Amino acid sequence: MDLEFAMTEEKPSLPDDLRRVLIDEETIANRVSELADEINAAYKDIKDPLILVGVLKGSFIFMADLSRRLTIPHIVDFIAISSYGAKGDKRGEVRLLMDTRENLAGHHVLIVEDILDSGHTLAYLTKAFKARGTESVETAVFLDKPERHAVPVDIRFRGFEIPDVWVVGYGLDYKERHRTLPFIAEMIPEN
Ligand code: IMP
Ligand code: MG
């Protein structure tokens, strides 16, 4: 890469369908470090590795950053679900598409999720994992939209509270767009 060119190049402007940056890269990095500190402290005395279960796809970047800042022994795992409750549908049906590789029974489990909206996804997963005889089940949620909660969910570790707007970046998408932006941005709603 031509370094001189890179240094003089102007910062790319925000894509047309995005309104504004809500949370910038540096703020995200600082908060994820704080969350990792909280998790390290909370689980410092456990005997077996903590099992982190990321909810695909949205959590993959948060999972990568968070897990690399953990100093406690931990195992990274993922699940995939399909949620019919994500965009206004009140049924809140959640279906497991891909299960964990690890057997969760007897282990401390931390569900790693990109965003809490209605709460149906986390309510379902918490209940399902507890039914497997886990030692404990807690949640780490990068973003929380408190105005949207439809069912009660206990969030043990929370990154940021945001207003009721559709956000993208840092793993979150809109129809698979903008998932790998390094910041969180607000979408301009499509009509
Ligand atoms: P819940 O079951 O309603 O809490 O749905 C949570 C899921 O909806 C998240 O894991 C996301 O996949 C999706 N979601 C909710 N709000 C947003 C958003 O603003 N941007 C991107 N995905 C979202
Ligand atoms: Mg998700």
Side-chain angles (χ1 to χ4, degrees):
M1 185 171 74
D2 187 331
L3 192 59
E4 220 168 308
F5 172 75
M7 284 169 66
T8 54
E9 197 179 13
E10 270 185 41
K11 243 182 145 185
S13 59
L14 215 53
D16 282 350
D17 53 351
L18 302 186
R19 179 168 286 145
R20 62 185 169 128
V21 173
L22 269 189
I23 312 171
D24 67 23
E25 253 184 289
E26 193 190 342
T27 309
I28 292 174
N30 291 337
R31 186 71 188 119
V32 173
S33 284
E34 288 173 358
L35 289 176
D37 290 345
E38 286 177 37
I39 294 167
N40 286 327
Y43 291 98
K44 67 178 178 359
D45 294 326
I46 62 170
K47 290 186 182 64
D48 296 315
L50 172 67
I51 303 183
L52 304 170
V53 178
V55 184
L56 292 173
K57 299 175 191 175
S59 73
F60 83 112
I61 293 178
F62 179 42
M63 173 68 101
D65 284 350
L66 184 70
S67 60
R68 285 180 296 170
R69 289 179 172 102
L70 293 182
T71 52
I72 49 160
H74 61 276
I75 293 170
V76 173
D77 208 335
F78 288 98
I79 53 160
I81 51 148
S82 83
S83 159
Y84 303 103
K87 268 209 112 180
D89 182 345
K90 292 208 173 61
R91 284 178 305 160
E93 244 175 79
V94 180
R95 213 156 45 91
L96 195 60
L97 299 180
M98 184 196 88
D99 207 344
T100 55
R101 298 282 187 100
E102 301 297 321
N103 180 352
L104 304 182
H107 294 277
H108 293 281
V109 172
L110 181 62
I111 303 170
V112 177
E113 182 50 317
D114 54 356
I115 188 165
L116 184 90
D117 191 73
S118 71
H120 286 298
T121 305
L122 280 181
Y124 166 84
L125 288 176
T126 304
K127 192 168 162 227
F129 289 171
K130 280 183 175 161
R132 296 179 184 189
T134 43
E135 187 67 29
S136 70
V137 180
E138 301 287 355
T139 56
V141 173
F142 180 64
L143 299 176
D144 181 21
K145 290 180 182 173
E147 292 164 50
R148 299 264 313 163
H149 293 190
V151 289
V153 180
D154 266 335
I155 310 179
R156 178 75 190 273
F157 308 98
R158 179 193 339 243
F160 302 93
E161 281 191 7
I162 60 163
D164 179 15
V165 294
W166 196 263
V167 292
V168 292
Y170 201 65
L172 293 120
D173 72 309
Y174 177 68
K175 296 181 178 170
E176 293 304 323
R177 289 210 304 273
H178 303 312
R179 207 186 272 289
T180 57
L181 288 173
F183 46 78
I184 292 289
E186 176 183 342
M187 294 278 309
I188 296 168
E190 238 175 29
N191 288 308

